[in-house]
Amino acid sequence: MSDEKPPQLVDYFVVAGLAEASRALEEEQQPRPARPGEPITDVAVIIRSQGEEVPQGFTCIETTTSGHPVDLNAGLLNNPQMFLCYKRGRDKPPLIELGVHYEGKDRPKPGYQILDTTPYSRSANLASGSPGHQRTFLTFRRAAEPPGHHTLGVTDICLVMPSKGESTPHTFCRVDKNLNTSMWGPALFLCYKIAVAKGNTLVYEAGLLSRYPEQDSESFPLPESVPVFCLPMGATIESWPAGTKYPLPVFSTFVLTGASGDKVYGAAIQFHEAFPRERLSEAQALRLGLLSVVDRRPVPGRSLHTRKSICVLSHWPFFDVFRKFLMFIYRYSISGPHVLPLETHISHFMHNVPFPSPQRPRILVQMSPYDSLLLCRPVSSPLPLSGASFLTLLQNLGPDNAVALLVAVLTEQKLLIHSLRPDVLTSVGEALVAMIFPLRWQCPYIPLCPLALADVLCAPVPFIVGIHSSYFDLYEPPRDVIFVDLDTNTIFQSEERKLLSPRALPRRPCKVLLASLHSLSQQLDELLSAPGEEEPPELVLSDAEAAGARRAQLELEARAAFLRFMACALRGYRSFLRPIAPAPAPAGRDAGSLFALQGFLRSRERAYQRFYGQLLRTQLFTQFIEDCSFASDREPCLEFFDTCVDKVDLEKPEDTPLMELDDPRGGEHTVFITPPEQPAGPDGAEPPARYRYDGFPTLCPELLEPPRDPLVAQLCQARSSAPSSPAPRRTKQEMKVAQRVAQKSSAVPELWARCLLGHCYGLWFLYLPTHVRAAPAKLRALQLAYDVLRKMEQHKVVLPDEVCYRILMQLCGQYGEPVLSVRVLLEMKRAGIVPNTVTYGYYNKAVLESKWPAGTQGGRLRWAKLRNVVLGAAQFRQPLRQRERRRGALSAPLTPPCDQPPPAPRPPLQRQTTWAGRSLRDPAPAPRLVKSGSLSFPRGEGGTRMGLGEPPLLPVTPPLPPSRPRGPPGSADGSLSDIATDESGGDEGPAGGPGGGPGGVTPRRGLAAKLQQLLSPGKRPPPRPTEPPREPGARRGSEQRDGDPPSRRSPAETLLRPRERPESTASESSVSLGSELDLSDASGGSTGAPKSTEPSSDGTAGTEPPALEVLLSSCSRCPGCAGLVFDEELMAGWTSDDSNLNTSCPFCCRSFVPFLSIEIRDFRRPPSPPGAGPVPPSPEGPVLSDRRRCLELDETPELCNGCPPGRWERVAFAYLSPLVLRKELESLVENEGGELLARPELVDSHPIIFWNLVWYFQRLALPSNLPLLLLGSQHQPLPPVLQPPEPSRVRVRLLWDVLSPDPESCPPLYVLWRIHSNLPPRLHPWGPPPAPFSLTFLEALLSHVGLNEVHKAIGLFLETLAAPGAPRTLHRSIYRELLFLTLAALGREHTDIAAFDRRYRSALGKLGGALGRDELRRRRAQPPSAKASDCRRTFGAPPEC
């Protein structure tokens, strides 16, 4: 079937039978001796010692199967000689079952007759020689009247003596009751055979009579062998006696397996219809008994019939539904007349019955006013789709034989399953190949084998073949085959091919399996007991529905029992897989090179070495290892099996469920399909019924109608198919595991934050293929992703699945980087992650199919030596250059030129030890991160700065050259510049710098002294003049990085310096895994990439402002209490449900949907007039290094960053949890392709996904090209008068507080502090500040906070709120007001938020006794929850308020 189209319920409708080109089957084979043409109708017991003779027409059994004389009474002294006789014929219904009855011990069975007398009216007691013995009689059961030509009956009877070495003959049933009940004599058992006794039959190979549709489908052409499977015993011509009743149609099923392993299921019914005598030749009429042999005259009283079949083919094993449909079509053909032709019902069922979907799980099809069928959605299971019935297997073979067949299949034996019921063969055959999951049968498999293909039984390879039992009446079976008789519940083994005993299986798993199967078999026997006749019909119907549900449950339990055994038998196999780490050899796909066979064998117990030795040599296990080692379509199934192995590894009780199935119905919504509409007659009268058939007709194409309803396709659900790039796709099992992990993590604050963080990184790796595709340097992009993985491992990020590693492995294979793929695998093992089957397959595929570097070492060593020589020469020249630079600095003016950066120090000389050396132009492999305290970024020399050691894949906004001294980190809030000015003013050190020389650090001052300086915002001195440049070594060694020029720092930059983190892929804008103190602004210069600069095309840094600036804020207002809920509180309120968009308010506990507020500012300029030169930059324009001036101008509408005001737009979209966003992104990539993530249409068609991705990628400082999509979207289209901007002109800023405040609300305290400090606030407009919130009040709050008297600050705030003129509604909590005020006054770099939280909680403990916790909560004085604090600690606070 085509993956692009919705699935069809039925693919083809086929009519098979005797065609013109059909050939005779019995002429080419050597049949066995003539089989009996008549069944056995009577049995009798005679006593020869008393003169009784064999009755007329009876045959006496005088010997056993091996020729030993037999006497039914041989075990008694002075016994009478008793013999068994039988009679054949068709004058009465045949016998269908025989038995033995012990009088006084057994109850008479209903329908059985006891043979208590001989034909001569003497007692037929088989133990009549002694009165003290058990009275024993024969019993029989007869078929119902009247007999049909194809009625099953007893066709042969024999007696066996096990003491003489005799066994039950093949295809015979044995009565397990000894006929000799005495203490003397050999045991004697009665055996009989049931078959179809018929004569006068010609067998031909079936042919195709008609089909619909007539044209083959491109994805699934109709196989030519379908007619042969519809009539496996051939198309027959039969001669019946006059008055013979037509037999009932026989339902059969079969399975066709394609070259790719796809299965097609067939359902067929076989029936008879009249055959014209004129079509027979004289030879055929003689063989059928229609002509006398002597004078060739017609024999009267005979009728001719032929066998036909109708069949449907489908990819879905809905056998019960197909049986009802075919029976309706057959009854329709033999009844009539009808208004509608037969073809109308066939085309209606094929075109207008949709496949059940999760939205419409039940399809009720009304075929006629009296016929209907219900089609339900199949069970959603991780196991492969199959038509197996384990209950049918248990019902026909029992638990012990089922385990014996499990051994036979695992050791690849030749299995021949036979039965007189063709529909049972397919169910049992499918169960045999399904019980060995995850192994897959690789040899010939024909669950219902036609006579035309019976040569496969002589094949010298293992096979599983099912055949009709009448095959043995025609041909001799092969000798080296294990026969499984489903009618007699027996397994026949030849001397040439003996099975392993079930004792060879692992003892404990086999014991658990047998116990489970015995329990299920007992429950099945109880279920099959019919309800009492006295129950009303409605109770009988309800009981039938309950029995059907119970049967489905037992079916799943039986399958789970075999699954548990296989998981225990293969436990620990993954540790013996051998990954392809070096360059693969030509035999890289050999099982011995992919799996440690001997190591796995030694890990098993010695008692089971024989079983495992045979298992490892089978094609089953070899293919299983290849499926586990390479990417295949079985990855979801194998990944599910790995989870089962992990569960049994935990030594949990045996009742631990391994299969967690979804509801197969999914709901109660039922779609009703009406019957075909009848055409209207003239004047609205009912049309005449003119369609009547003498036999099943040949389908007429003119009567087959096209689809009636074009909307049926919408009712269908597309079959699951792998996307073009399946690596980003999570399997169903991975989704379930991630959901369980999220549910457990939601109850633990630390785990919940890490769970969200892991899903955020998963989002970026889902976007990674798009990012690498757009990157000019593919290897650098892959190296960047690998460094992200290393950073995640260093900081113990908990990933919910292996998609991150899998995507990178697939990209390594796609772009030919097998060495990097090996490094990714080693990184997984270093992180303690064992790759599952899906990841392992992509790894081996990348390693095997990629081109490896050359294995010779000579060229690499020579290049390494040359590299070391050049680096050594450069190291010798470096002191000379430094000396010249010092001389030039002494004679240079005080203001250095902006275009002459100092050189970067060279790395020390190292010996080349890797396979690929770096050139001198390559950046350093792992430079250290530098914490920047301002919005300016130092320029590199001939390269770029990156926290990952690679240049950014996305051009970022270049820094502006400084025209004034760099401000300290906190100058934007008006506090840190004062500290720097006061502490560094006056006398300077000998070096002339505020640090007092290279590496100088100003000692810390007390917090009270700093507050004393902070509490005078109106007495700030003007900025100092430009300072002379420092020496290159004036920077602290722990803050220097290779390729970075030295920067001038004030002593205040070292005050309360946060702890340095190890090298990390996150930029300074986040504290995803580090300290909360690292909150410097990273959103001012890039579109999500780590802080770096990239020189312009002309070699000079750009001086233009960004084309677009985007402000993002996740702070949302609760609709219930109007309180502002900040980012970490929103994260803490999310649930583990990946479909729930709501979060909970920490104040009123109401659920609501948070929103991302976005403001887009467009600064693009119109083009310059023709002939006009470049516009020089304004000398008064600010630069990014002056944060205070930038913020002042940012709030000035007339001038922003030295450019005219531009257009701006504000939008808001739902703020999604990473769990919800990942589910939506996966669905988007699967349905619309990953290419959409690189097109501007993403912004307009999926804005929620786009803006959430921008937020998370910017939050974690992960590089992406998403912000550049805004330039081509409908949000900011390029006006015709504007020049197209450079791709580097996009800037994204993340805000902690609201983006658009309420004009009527009271300004927060940190805004009031800025207003009192003569700094304009960032947002406009704010309402007038209330009178109680004066500068004195703010200074008092800061004084209490600085003196660790937070409880006094809270009390003062509460008292002020109760004063007249104070705002009635407080949108922010008291905690949030004090925190933001402290950050604005002291600066982000000088505030330890974790310490502030501890002091605040301690202060609430002191106030709780006086005011009460409920009162403090009502007045919104409670701190954030532990979950919210941990989310902020994990993700980091947004860099700006």
Side-chain angles (χ1 to χ4, degrees):
M1 295 179 64
S2 177
D3 292 337
E4 289 77 11
K5 298 180 180 179
Q8 287 182 291
L9 184 62
V10 176
D11 294 287
Y12 292 99
F13 183 89
V14 175
V15 182
L18 183 62
E20 296 293 337
S22 298
R23 59 183 179 87
L25 293 179
E26 294 184 348
E27 296 178 356
E28 298 182 359
Q29 304 287 346
Q30 295 296 330
R32 304 180 70 178
R35 58 181 177 179
E38 296 178 340
I40 296 177
T41 57
D42 285 298
V43 291
V45 175
I46 61 173
I47 306 176
R48 284 188 174 180
S49 60
Q50 296 185 9
E52 297 184 357
E53 299 293 336
V54 179
Q56 184 178 1
F58 280 76
T59 302
C60 181
I61 302 177
E62 298 181 357
T63 60
T64 63
T65 56
S66 58
H68 296 280
V70 63
D71 183 1
L72 300 181
N73 230 349
L76 300 176
L77 299 177
N78 302 323
N79 59 323
Q81 296 180 354
M82 305 182 70
F83 292 90
L84 178 64
C85 304
Y86 62 88
K87 179 184 178 181
R88 299 181 184 274
R90 291 188 181 274
D91 55 339
K92 59 176 67 174
L95 303 181
I96 58 176
E97 197 167 356
L98 298 177
V100 177
H101 176 71
Y102 295 155
E103 189 178 74
K105 185 177 181 181
D106 298 335
R107 293 182 179 181
K109 297 181 180 180
Y112 280 75
Q113 299 181 23
I114 299 178
L115 187 64
D116 54 355
T117 60
T118 67
Y120 300 92
S121 300
R122 293 185 176 91
S123 174
N125 178 20
L126 302 182
S128 59
S130 175
H133 288 84
Q134 179 74 51
R135 291 171 59 85
T136 305
F137 298 94
L138 294 180
T139 62
F140 61 87
R141 186 163 64 94
R142 195 178 299 274
E145 300 253 5
H149 187 69
H150 285 264
T151 304
L152 288 175
V154 177
T155 58
D156 205 352
I157 299 176
C158 69
L159 297 172
V160 296
M161 291 182 182
S163 60
K164 302 295 184 179
E166 298 176 350
S167 59
T168 305
H170 186 222
T171 71
F172 275 69
C173 299
R174 169 176 161 174
V175 181
D176 288 330
K177 287 186 177 181
N178 190 3
L179 297 178
N180 184 6
T181 58
S182 66
M183 299 177 60
W184 311 100
L188 188 66
F189 292 92
L190 173 67
C191 300
Y192 61 93
K193 179 180 180 180
I194 297 179
V196 179
K198 59 180 181 179
N200 301 327
T201 302
L202 299 178
V203 183
Y204 295 87
E205 182 179 345
L208 181 66
L209 299 182
S210 59
R211 53 173 283 187
Y212 178 73
E214 296 183 352
Q215 292 79 21
D216 285 343
S217 172
E218 295 181 0
S219 58
F220 172 48
L222 180 67
E224 297 180 357
S225 59
V226 169
V228 178
F229 284 91
C230 295
L231 293 169
M233 298 307 295
T236 60
I237 303 177
E238 304 171 7
S239 174
W240 296 356
T244 303
K245 183 182 178 181
Y246 272 89
L248 295 175
V250 178
F251 178 70
S252 63
T253 58
F254 57 90
V255 180
L256 302 178
T257 306
S260 60
D262 295 337
K263 290 184 178 180
V264 177
Y265 299 93
I269 59 171
Q270 306 171 24
F271 55 91
H272 290 80
E273 61 182 29
F275 187 80
R277 183 173 296 193
E278 294 78 12
R279 296 180 57 183
L280 294 178
S281 63
E282 184 178 354
Q284 291 174 330
L286 284 173
R287 295 186 60 185
L288 291 174
L290 300 178
L291 296 176
S292 60
V293 179
V294 179
D295 52 3
R296 306 296 174 91
R297 291 183 178 180
V299 176
R302 307 292 295 183
S303 60
L304 274 181
H305 299 84
T306 184
R307 184 162 53 186
K308 275 187 177 181
S309 175
I310 55 177
C311 165
V312 292
L313 292 181
S314 174
H315 284 81
W316 313 95
F318 294 117
F319 293 142
D320 292 337
V321 173
F322 297 151
R323 180 180 58 83
K324 293 180 181 179
F325 168 69
L326 293 174
M327 291 300 295
F328 166 76
I329 294 297
Y330 170 71
R331 290 195 306 268
Y332 197 88
S333 67
I334 61 177
S335 61
H338 303 286
V339 176
L340 294 176
L342 186 69
E343 291 84 349
T344 300
H345 290 275
I346 295 175
S347 57
H348 171 76
F349 185 82
M350 294 184 64
H351 291 305
N352 298 333
V353 177
F355 188 83
S357 64
Q359 293 76 22
R360 299 169 178 86
R362 296 158 60 92
I363 309 295
L364 180 61
V365 183
Q366 193 72 31
M367 297 178 291
S368 73
Y370 310 101
D371 299 277
S372 63
L373 57 88
L374 181 63
L375 181 63
C376 297
R377 177 172 173 254
V379 177
S380 178
S381 169
L383 299 176
L385 186 66
S386 172
S389 175
F390 289 91
L391 295 186
T392 304
L393 176 68
L394 291 178
Q395 186 178 354
N396 290 276
L397 290 176
D400 296 329
N401 284 338
V403 174
L405 288 181
L406 175 64
V407 179
V409 177
L410 288 176
T411 55
E412 287 188 345
Q413 306 294 325
K414 294 183 177 181
L415 291 180
L416 179 59
I417 313 166
H418 60 90
S419 173
L420 296 170
R421 300 160 293 170
D423 58 325
V424 175
L425 291 173
T426 301
S427 300
V428 174
E430 285 283 277
L432 290 181
V433 297
M435 67 168 59
I436 61 174
F437 176 84
L439 306 182
R440 184 168 52 175
W441 185 260
Q442 299 296 312
C443 301
Y445 166 64
I446 310 176
L448 181 59
C449 181
L451 283 178
L453 302 179
D455 294 340
V456 72
L457 301 180
C458 302
V461 295
F463 56 76
I464 297 179
V465 174
I467 202 167
H468 197 276
S469 294
S470 59
Y471 166 84
F472 302 102
D473 298 333
L474 302 174
Y475 311 107
E476 285 287 346
R479 297 179 177 273
D480 58 344
V481 176
I482 299 175
F483 300 94
V484 182
D485 192 346
L486 301 180
D487 299 325
T488 62
N489 190 12
T490 52
I491 298 178
F492 298 90
Q493 305 180 40
S494 62
E495 296 295 334
E496 302 176 4
R497 205 173 187 91
K498 283 291 185 180
L499 268 176
L500 277 179
S501 171
R503 295 182 179 180
L505 298 175
R507 185 181 62 85
R508 183 178 177 183
C510 184
K511 181 179 179 181
V512 173
L513 175 62
L514 276 173
S516 301
L517 295 183
H518 278 287
S519 175
L520 292 172
S521 180
Q522 182 179 359
Q523 297 179 50
L524 181 61
D525 293 339
E526 298 174 356
L527 183 64
L528 293 178
S529 59
E533 299 179 357
E534 65 278 1
E535 296 182 359
E538 57 271 10
L539 293 181
V540 174
L541 182 60
S542 61
D543 291 344
E545 293 179 355
R550 179 59 181 162
R551 186 181 180 89
Q553 180 64 29
L554 293 179
E555 187 77 33
L556 296 179
E557 292 179 6
R559 190 161 193 176
F562 285 101
L563 176 62
R564 181 179 300 278
F565 171 81
M566 294 301 300
C568 295
L570 299 178
R571 180 169 49 190
Y573 81 96
R574 295 208 62 82
S575 59
F576 297 95
L577 290 172
R578 292 175 175 175
I580 305 177
R589 298 182 71 98
D590 181 64
S593 61
L594 299 175
F595 189 80
L597 297 174
Q598 294 301 321
F600 178 79
L601 193 61
R602 287 192 297 268
S603 66
R604 310 292 111 170
E605 297 184 21
R606 185 177 297 272
Y608 315 124
Q609 295 282 334
R610 184 181 178 188
F611 163 72
Y612 281 106
Q614 293 190 22
L615 176 63
L616 297 184
R617 291 191 297 270
T618 60
Q619 300 181 50
L620 290 169
F621 195 80
T622 301
Q623 184 63 38
F624 171 68
I625 294 303
E626 291 186 7
D627 291 340
C628 293
S629 301
F630 303 99
S632 66
D633 56 349
R634 302 187 67 226
E635 291 168 347
C637 300
L638 298 178
E639 196 267 342
F640 163 72
F641 179 73
D642 290 345
T643 61
C644 297
V645 173
D646 295 338
K647 290 181 180 179
V648 298
D649 265 338
L650 299 178
E651 298 296 336
K652 291 185 177 180
E654 277 67 21
D655 57 353
T656 303
L658 297 183
M659 300 175 60
E660 299 178 1
L661 303 180
D662 300 333
D663 185 7
R665 297 175 300 175
E668 298 298 332
H669 187 193
T670 303
V671 175
F672 184 74
I673 304 297
T674 58
E677 297 181 0
Q678 296 184 358
D683 300 332
E686 184 177 353
R690 55 191 181 92
Y691 293 100
R692 187 182 184 90
Y693 309 98
D694 297 331
F696 200 90
T698 301
L699 300 181
C700 181
E702 292 78 11
L703 299 178
L704 293 166
E705 298 181 355
R708 172 187 70 170
D709 188 1
L711 299 179
V712 169
Q714 299 180 4
L715 302 179
C716 301
Q717 174 197 18
R719 273 195 304 172
S720 59
S721 59
S724 58
S725 180
R729 184 183 182 187
R730 287 184 296 176
T731 62
K732 291 184 178 180
Q733 192 63 27
E734 286 179 326
M735 293 180 183
K736 291 181 179 180
V737 172
Q739 188 69 19
R740 288 197 299 266
V741 171
Q743 291 176 357
K744 294 180 181 179
S745 301
S746 61
V748 182
E750 296 180 358
L751 296 181
W752 177 244
R754 292 180 178 271
C755 177
L756 295 179
L757 183 64
H759 280 279
C760 288
Y761 278 105
L763 291 171
W764 186 75
F765 276 92
L766 284 176
Y767 171 76
L768 182 62
T770 304
H771 188 71
V772 175
R773 218 168 20 242
K778 311 299 182 185
L779 178 57
R780 291 185 178 181
L782 295 176
Q783 182 67 33
L784 171 67
Y786 172 71
D787 291 336
V788 171
L789 286 179
R790 290 188 57 192
K791 176 215 173 187
M792 293 161 57
E793 190 274 332
Q794 291 173 2
H795 296 286
K796 311 300 181 183
V797 175
V798 180
L799 293 176
D801 46 60
E802 302 175 14
V803 173
C804 300
Y805 299 96
R806 191 155 65 234
I807 292 176
L808 186 52
M809 288 179 179
Q810 187 196 29
L811 293 176
C812 291
Q814 181 178 352
Y815 294 104
E817 295 295 335
V819 178
L820 185 59
S821 183
V822 175
R823 295 170 63 189
V824 174
L825 180 66
L826 297 178
E827 197 67 30
M828 287 189 69
K829 294 184 177 181
R830 191 178 299 112
I833 301 176
V834 179
N836 59 19
T837 302
V838 184
T839 308
Y840 196 78
Y842 277 103
Y843 163 76
N844 279 333
K845 182 179 180 181
V847 171
L848 189 65
E849 297 180 359
S850 301
K851 182 179 180 181
W852 283 72
T856 57
Q857 302 290 334
R860 297 205 301 261
L861 291 178
R862 284 192 292 269
W863 279 108
K865 292 179 180 179
L866 179 60
R867 174 181 180 273
N868 290 339
V869 170
V870 175
L871 288 178
Q875 291 288 343
F876 280 113
R877 295 182 60 183
Q878 184 176 1
L880 301 177
R881 292 182 178 178
Q882 293 179 356
R883 184 180 303 175
E884 294 177 358
R885 190 178 298 111
R886 292 193 188 98
R887 293 176 181 176
L890 294 178
S891 60
L894 294 180
T895 303
C898 296
D899 55 351
Q900 187 179 354
R906 294 288 184 181
L909 187 64
Q910 298 178 355
R911 180 179 297 275
Q912 176 68 25
T913 57
T914 58
W915 65 272
R918 294 178 178 268
S919 64
L920 290 177
R921 297 183 179 180
D922 289 341
R928 290 184 293 273
L929 288 177
V930 179
K931 298 186 179 295
S932 175
S934 66
L935 290 174
S936 62
F937 306 129
R939 295 191 304 272
E941 182 180 3
T944 58
R945 290 181 53 192
M946 285 196 67
L948 297 175
E950 297 289 350
L953 305 180
L954 174 67
V956 295
T957 305
L960 301 178
S963 59
R964 55 184 297 174
R966 180 183 309 181
S971 61
D973 51 46
S975 62
L976 220 58
S977 59
D978 292 330
I979 299 178
T981 302
D982 295 340
E983 293 185 358
S984 60
D987 298 335
E988 298 290 346
V1001 179
T1002 303
R1004 294 188 180 183
R1005 303 182 59 187
L1007 185 58
K1010 290 197 296 290
L1011 289 175
Q1012 186 65 27
Q1013 300 291 334
L1014 291 170
L1015 296 183
S1016 302
K1019 302 178 180 180
R1020 305 183 184 277
R1024 298 180 302 158
T1026 303
E1027 297 180 358
R1030 292 189 182 181
E1031 293 293 331
R1035 204 176 204 180
R1036 291 177 54 185
S1038 61
E1039 296 175 356
Q1040 250 178 348
R1041 183 166 51 175
D1042 296 340
D1044 289 339
S1047 61
R1048 298 179 297 275
R1049 294 180 178 268
S1050 64
E1053 293 184 51
T1054 60
L1055 290 176
L1056 298 178
R1057 170 63 54 185
R1059 300 181 299 273
E1060 292 290 343
R1061 295 178 298 174
E1063 56 184 24
S1064 167
T1065 57
S1067 72
E1068 295 84 349
S1069 64
S1070 75
V1071 278
S1072 55
L1073 294 164
S1075 171
E1076 279 188 327
L1077 301 179
D1078 191 6
L1079 298 172
S1080 56
D1081 191 357
S1083 61
S1086 70
T1087 56
K1091 286 203 169 185
S1092 60
T1093 59
E1094 185 169 301
S1096 303
S1097 58
D1098 56 355
T1100 61
T1103 59
E1104 297 294 330
L1108 292 180
E1109 184 179 54
V1110 180
L1111 303 181
L1112 291 171
S1113 174
S1114 62
C1115 183
S1116 302
R1117 191 180 305 274
C1118 174
C1121 61
L1124 292 178
V1125 185
F1126 291 84
D1127 189 64
E1128 61 269 25
E1129 296 168 336
L1130 296 175
M1131 292 183 177
W1134 279 327
T1135 64
S1136 58
D1137 185 6
D1138 57 4
S1139 300
N1140 190 358
L1141 306 183
N1142 293 325
T1143 187
S1144 59
C1145 176
F1147 307 113
C1148 63
C1149 300
R1150 176 176 176 177
S1151 297
F1152 68 98
V1153 178
F1155 283 88
L1156 269 179
S1157 301
I1158 305 106
E1159 180 178 319
I1160 307 173
R1161 300 177 179 179
D1162 191 352
F1163 298 132
R1164 285 174 284 191
R1165 302 178 180 179
S1168 302
V1175 180
S1178 173
E1180 299 296 329
V1183 293
L1184 292 177
S1185 59
D1186 189 354
R1187 294 184 62 188
R1188 178 177 180 180
R1189 182 60 177 161
C1190 284
L1191 287 177
E1192 291 177 357
L1193 295 177
D1194 191 23
E1195 305 302 332
T1196 305
E1198 292 78 11
L1199 188 65
C1200 180
N1201 285 334
C1203 62
R1207 299 172 300 145
W1208 62 276
E1209 177 186 2
R1210 282 183 181 175
V1211 291
F1213 298 100
Y1215 183 29
L1216 303 183
S1217 163
L1219 282 74
V1220 180
L1221 181 58
R1222 183 169 186 182
K1223 179 181 178 181
E1224 296 299 325
L1225 182 60
E1226 288 174 339
S1227 177
L1228 176 66
V1229 172
E1230 181 178 358
N1231 296 330
E1232 303 188 32
E1235 295 79 8
L1236 181 63
L1237 300 180
R1239 297 200 298 265
E1241 291 84 358
L1242 176 67
V1243 186
D1244 306 318
S1245 59
H1246 302 280
I1248 298 179
I1249 296 179
F1250 170 78
W1251 288 112
N1252 278 272
L1253 290 178
V1254 171
W1255 169 268
Y1256 285 117
F1257 293 171
Q1258 185 71 16
R1259 190 71 185 275
L1260 298 180
L1262 296 171
S1264 74
N1265 297 325
L1266 292 177
L1268 297 180
L1269 302 182
L1270 287 170
L1271 299 173
S1273 67
Q1274 297 180 3
H1275 282 284
Q1276 296 294 332
L1278 185 64
V1281 298
L1282 296 184
Q1283 294 178 347
E1286 297 180 5
S1288 61
R1289 303 301 183 183
V1290 178
R1291 184 169 63 188
V1292 181
R1293 296 167 56 187
L1294 305 184
L1295 306 179
W1296 202 349
D1297 206 350
V1298 291
L1299 189 61
S1300 56
D1302 186 2
E1304 299 180 358
S1305 63
C1306 173
L1309 298 185
Y1310 77 95
V1311 173
L1312 295 178
W1313 175 263
R1314 289 177 175 175
I1315 294 176
H1316 290 305
S1317 304
N1318 297 326
L1319 287 175
R1322 176 178 54 83
L1323 301 176
H1324 291 282
W1326 286 102
F1333 292 170
S1334 61
L1335 178 60
T1336 305
F1337 167 70
L1338 300 179
E1339 293 176 348
L1341 291 179
L1342 289 173
S1343 178
H1344 289 313
V1345 173
L1347 296 176
N1348 294 337
E1349 297 175 347
V1350 183
H1351 62 284
K1352 293 184 179 180
I1354 299 175
L1356 178 60
F1357 199 178
L1358 293 176
E1359 293 177 2
T1360 308
L1361 286 176
R1368 298 180 180 179
T1369 304
L1370 191 64
H1371 297 291
R1372 295 166 184 79
S1373 64
I1374 297 179
Y1375 163 84
R1376 196 69 56 178
E1377 292 280 10
L1378 294 179
L1379 175 62
F1380 285 178
L1381 177 62
T1382 305
L1383 291 174
L1386 296 182
R1388 183 68 59 86
E1389 291 79 6
H1390 292 69
T1391 305
D1392 190 341
I1393 301 182
F1396 181 86
D1397 289 350
R1398 291 192 298 268
R1399 296 170 185 172
Y1400 192 88
R1401 288 188 173 88
S1402 176
L1404 281 188
K1406 298 178 182 179
L1407 295 176
L1411 299 178
R1413 295 186 178 273
D1414 294 339
E1415 178 65 17
L1416 291 176
R1417 183 176 182 83
R1418 186 186 66 82
R1419 304 181 70 174
R1420 297 182 181 176
Q1422 75 274 17
S1425 62
K1427 185 183 292 187
S1429 299
D1430 200 79
C1431 289
R1432 184 180 59 203
R1433 185 180 306 109
T1434 303
F1435 282 83
E1440 299 183 49
C1441 292

